[in-house]
Amino acid sequence: MKHRALQALVLQALEPEWEARFEPNSYGFRTGRSCHDAIEAIFNCIRYKPKFVLDADISKCFEKINHSVLLRKLNTSPTTRRQIRAWLKAGVIDNKQLFPTFEGVPQGGTISPLLANIALHGIENRIKQAFPKGSILKRGKYSGYQPGAMLIRYADDLVILHEDITVVQKCQEIMSEWLKDYGLELKPSKTKLTHTLSIYEGQKPGFDFLGFNIRQFPKGKHHTGKNTKGEKLGFKTIITPSQEKVKAHYDQLANAIDTHKAAPQAALIKKLNPIIRGWANYFATVISKEIYAFLDNLVYLKLVSWAKFRHPKKSCKWVSKKYWHSIDNDNWVFATKEAGKNPLKLLDHTRIKIVRHIKVKGESSPYDGNLVYWSTRMGNNPEMPKRVASLLKWQKGKCAHCGLFFRENDVMEIDHIIPKSQGGKDENKNWQLLHRHCHDTKTANDSSPVTQSGCNSS
């Protein structure tokens, strides 16, 4: 416990410095960034033009990082360097036997993800230096714009995208050479070249990344995507949960149902709901409604078998009346119905709303001082009052009175929607965040005294 606490302390010391230096398209194990940011970055890269893709995975990234190169790259104080070196060289105990560690970072350590990101920092800039964005000049005249190669990385999983297959192949060579200095290499079995729209060397279009399937489909004039000028592209970019993840999720649900054959219905619902909610929330940022409906149908059929198994001598009508009910204007809900108790309902995948994810701004970091942006995005910030940060996220960064976005230097005040003088309660649902001048205007209209201090209630 002492060393885990010490690792957390070193993490707090190193993370702000490296977050200011990390590349914009690195999303894995970083504060304020997620898998959905990486997927949105890929979508933005290919939405207007099909591209070739190198889908790669770094083999045994956490286990093979060169210690001396990593420590040299850290370039930190001698005391911190010695401590990190001690953690790297501490060894591993397996079956009561100590094995020395000559490479790699501690598995499951608090500081391990940061050390891995530090080791892989620079690979994106190396690719951009080799193939930068720029104009194409022919015979002294501007003839077009050459997009640069794009590398998007989540921890040790990465993709490189470009219109030209030779550029992607050259990027693979550059990346392999760059990784050698750190004792790393690409995993051949998980490294493949493909195209987002067309078949390439027998590989079907599209690729899987972080559990999502990213692919482009040819479309006619009525369904095609359009560019920023309204011109028809002839294809559409579709991102859905991958077939592998759909199958794994259903297998988990089916296994839970099978292992609860003798359990009460309430116990089964309590087991299934967190699994359904977590999986559906993860994929709620992409096109998932059809897959959600498909899974709900499979789960329903599995539950019918579960119910019939429990009552083999009862009729189907009796079984359905026992386990499926009409609740809150919803018919045919798998739920408990006990006297004097609130019914416990099974969550449907389709109940989870599809909400488009907004990608994090380029090189933004929670340590850059932009309190309004990060409070709006995350709902918390150590330098912002919790109540204000929560309201910023709830209101999506907008003033509830004028509808304009809050700026970094704006003075914000918490207002009671229904004033206390008119019977309003001091509770979450009666709070809203306003600009100071909007607060003054609303308070005047409410005929209540104006509060002058920031972040106070009216």
Side-chain angles (χ1 to χ4, degrees):
M1 290 300 295
K2 174 186 175 182
H3 282 279
R4 289 189 68 84
L6 189 56
Q7 283 192 22
L9 186 62
V10 174
L11 177 68
Q12 291 180 1
L14 293 178
E15 191 173 49
E17 173 196 353
W18 282 97
E19 279 292 336
R21 298 164 62 180
F22 280 147
E23 295 151 326
N25 285 307
S26 165
Y27 299 99
F29 305 125
R30 292 181 58 188
T31 306
R33 293 175 178 244
S34 66
C35 301
H36 301 105
D37 292 309
I39 297 300
E40 193 66 20
I42 293 173
F43 175 76
N44 291 338
C45 182
I46 66 174
R47 64 187 301 183
Y48 300 129
K49 190 166 289 188
K51 294 184 179 181
F52 286 95
V53 182
L54 173 68
D55 182 11
D57 182 274
I58 300 173
S59 179
K60 298 181 179 178
C61 177
F62 282 83
E63 302 172 20
K64 296 290 186 180
I65 293 173
N66 186 293
H67 288 173
S68 58
V69 178
L70 173 60
L71 291 169
R72 195 181 316 123
K73 192 172 186 178
L74 270 170
N75 192 28
T76 186
S77 67
T79 302
T80 305
R81 185 180 185 277
R82 284 194 298 270
Q83 181 60 73
I84 293 176
R85 185 180 184 279
W87 288 328
L88 294 174
K89 302 292 185 182
V92 177
I93 295 178
D94 184 22
N95 197 21
K96 298 183 180 180
Q97 186 176 356
L98 178 65
F99 295 91
T101 49
F102 302 105
E103 56 189 5
V105 296
Q107 297 294 305
T110 306
I111 201 172
S112 298
L114 176 64
L115 295 178
N117 274 328
I118 291 172
L120 297 176
H121 171 67
I123 191 171
E124 181 183 343
N125 289 332
R126 177 68 185 87
I127 295 297
K128 287 182 177 180
Q129 288 172 5
F131 300 99
K133 297 179 181 179
S135 302
I136 300 175
L137 291 175
K138 290 185 179 179
R139 298 178 184 178
K141 295 182 179 180
Y142 172 77
S143 62
Y145 177 76
Q146 174 66 46
M150 174 73 80
L151 184 146
I152 296 166
R153 180 175 66 84
Y154 188 92
D156 57 348
D157 294 329
L158 55 90
V159 292
I160 296 177
L161 305 110
H162 197 272
E163 300 170 32
D164 190 344
I165 183 61
T166 57
V167 171
V168 177
Q169 291 171 337
K170 184 63 178 176
C171 287
Q172 183 177 0
E173 295 175 10
I174 293 171
M175 186 164 53
S176 297
E177 293 176 4
W178 190 91
L179 289 172
K180 282 182 182 178
D181 295 336
Y182 295 88
L184 302 172
E185 61 180 1
L186 297 178
K187 192 172 186 177
S189 61
K190 291 190 176 181
T191 300
K192 65 176 184 178
L193 281 167
T194 184
H195 193 265
T196 57
L197 180 61
S198 309
I199 296 175
Y200 173 73
E201 294 186 349
Q203 295 275 2
K204 65 179 183 180
F207 61 99
D208 291 347
F209 189 65
L210 302 177
F212 296 86
N213 178 259
I214 299 126
R215 182 177 174 181
Q216 293 170 324
F217 294 86
K219 294 291 182 180
K221 62 180 181 179
H222 297 297
H223 296 92
T224 178
K226 298 179 182 180
N227 62 16
T228 54
K229 297 179 181 179
E231 299 168 344
K232 296 177 180 179
L233 301 173
F235 66 87
K236 197 166 188 177
T237 303
I238 303 294
I239 302 177
T240 59
S242 68
Q243 292 183 2
E244 180 184 353
K245 293 300 181 182
V246 172
K247 183 180 183 305
H249 176 57
Y250 174 70
D251 288 345
Q252 185 181 11
L253 293 173
N255 181 63
I257 294 172
D258 288 338
T259 55
H260 283 70
K261 285 183 177 179
Q265 183 185 19
L268 176 60
I269 294 174
K270 288 179 181 179
K271 177 67 177 179
L272 294 178
N273 276 354
I275 300 173
I276 294 172
R277 183 177 290 106
W279 192 89
N281 280 334
Y282 181 77
F283 291 103
T285 61
V286 297
I287 301 172
S288 303
K289 274 298 182 184
E290 289 186 6
I291 291 176
Y292 285 178
F294 171 72
L295 284 168
D296 283 338
N297 183 56
L298 291 181
V299 172
Y300 167 73
L301 296 175
K302 189 71 178 175
L303 290 172
V304 169
S305 298
W306 174 87
K308 288 181 177 179
F309 175 84
R310 292 166 65 88
H311 306 281
K313 296 183 179 181
K314 297 292 185 180
S315 67
C316 293
K317 184 176 181 180
W318 185 94
V319 171
S320 64
K321 283 186 176 181
K322 179 173 178 61
Y323 294 108
W324 280 269
H325 309 283
S326 295
I327 298 174
D328 298 334
N329 297 324
D330 287 337
N331 295 322
W332 214 253
V333 179
F334 187 77
T336 60
K337 196 169 186 181
E338 300 176 16
K341 294 185 179 180
N342 292 326
L344 188 62
K345 300 186 293 184
L346 180 69
L347 177 68
D348 288 336
H349 293 80
T350 50
R351 293 290 181 186
I352 304 297
K353 293 183 179 179
I354 302 298
V355 180
R356 182 68 176 271
H357 180 76
I358 299 175
K359 192 182 85 68
V360 65
K361 292 180 180 177
E363 297 181 352
S364 295
S365 161
Y367 303 99
D368 61 11
N370 193 342
L371 304 183
V372 173
Y373 174 76
W374 286 104
S375 296
T376 301
R377 187 172 182 83
M378 299 175 65
N380 64 77
N381 192 295
E383 299 182 38
M384 180 77 75
K386 176 61 181 176
R387 192 164 57 162
V388 176
S390 298
L391 288 171
L392 276 169
K393 184 175 183 180
W394 179 258
Q395 296 174 197
K396 298 181 179 179
K398 296 180 181 179
C399 173
H401 186 266
C402 65
L404 298 177
F405 284 100
F406 290 107
R407 295 173 297 182
E408 192 170 347
N409 296 324
D410 287 345
V411 178
M412 297 170 285
E413 296 182 344
I414 295 175
D415 171 68
H416 286 87
I417 300 172
I418 302 175
K420 288 183 178 180
S421 59
Q422 298 178 16
K425 296 182 179 180
D426 192 24
E427 56 185 4
N428 291 345
K429 63 183 180 182
N430 194 40
W431 293 337
Q432 62 182 356
L433 197 63
L434 308 177
H435 291 106
R436 172 173 284 182
H437 53 277
C438 293
H439 189 193
D440 292 344
T441 303
K442 178 185 177 299
T443 305
N445 293 335
D446 291 339
S447 301
S448 61
V450 178
T451 303
Q452 296 297 332
S453 57
C455 297
N456 286 331
S457 305
S458 63

